[in-house]
Amino acid sequence: MNNTNPQQARELVINATLVTQASEAVFYEFILGADLCVSACGYLESLSKGRVKPIHEPIKSLYGSLFELNHVRVDPRMDNTFILHTLMGALEAAGVHVKNKRSGDFMSICFKPLGELSDIVRFYIAQDAGLVFLSKAVTLQRVK
């Protein structure tokens, strides 16, 4: 791989908390493709050990569940401009403003790769694996 022209990233990881009435913290990680659809996911069995248990049918198993976005992870060795721009567009369409946006191909992207979000972001998975983002500003914004 040529370091001066990194490959374009085609996926990213979203870490989110399942929203429950019991106020328990159950963490999930979702791998999203370039179309922002869930390609794989799992829940963190052990936060301290980083053990993730895969969910084999995430759309079927998690349909109707509400999640709160914690953070986004990208591959620092790749150019993340396209996938981050796609996600930022979806969030902004849902009424979430992104401040201090990062460039997608620098190591600084590892810390807050999107920049700073103006609002808490919640989402759920639609039947076709697309995400539906929710914010206080706009009730629903479908991504896909």
Side-chain angles (χ1 to χ4, degrees):
M1 180 163 79
N2 184 347
N3 289 336
T4 59
N5 189 13
Q7 285 184 305
Q8 191 68 243
R10 305 302 295 167
E11 63 183 23
L12 55 78
V13 176
I14 289 183
N15 178 288
T17 305
L18 179 65
V19 177
T20 66
Q21 292 180 348
S23 298
E24 59 187 330
V26 181
F27 298 98
Y28 284 78
E29 292 202 334
F30 298 90
I31 298 174
L32 303 182
D35 58 357
L36 299 183
C37 287
V38 176
S39 61
C41 88
Y43 74 92
L44 292 166
E45 279 188 318
S46 171
L47 191 58
S48 63
K49 295 180 182 175
R51 278 194 305 217
V52 178
K53 182 172 181 169
I55 306 287
H56 296 291
E57 295 184 53
I59 290 76
K60 191 177 194 180
S61 301
L62 300 174
Y63 180 74
S65 298
L66 184 63
F67 297 91
E68 188 169 299
L69 176 69
N70 295 326
H71 61 269
V72 175
R73 287 198 320 266
V74 295
D75 187 340
R77 297 166 295 178
M78 301 189 85
D79 181 352
N80 296 281
T81 305
F82 172 76
I83 190 113
L84 288 173
H85 179 73
T86 303
L87 181 57
M88 281 187 249
L91 292 172
E92 288 177 345
V96 178
H97 300 290
V98 182
K99 298 183 276 185
N100 299 322
K101 296 176 185 174
R102 310 286 175 135
S103 176
D105 57 354
F106 294 106
M107 285 298 289
S108 65
I109 201 81
C110 294
F111 180 72
K112 291 190 178 182
L114 291 176
E116 298 173 31
L117 304 180
S118 66
D119 205 352
I120 293 172
V121 177
R122 290 187 172 180
F123 66 90
Y124 63 89
I125 305 170
Q127 287 183 327
D128 62 358
L131 297 185
V132 178
F133 289 110
L134 309 166
S135 77
K136 292 178 186 174
V138 177
T139 311
L140 293 176
Q141 177 60 44
R142 171 80 187 205
V143 175
K144 186 162 179 192

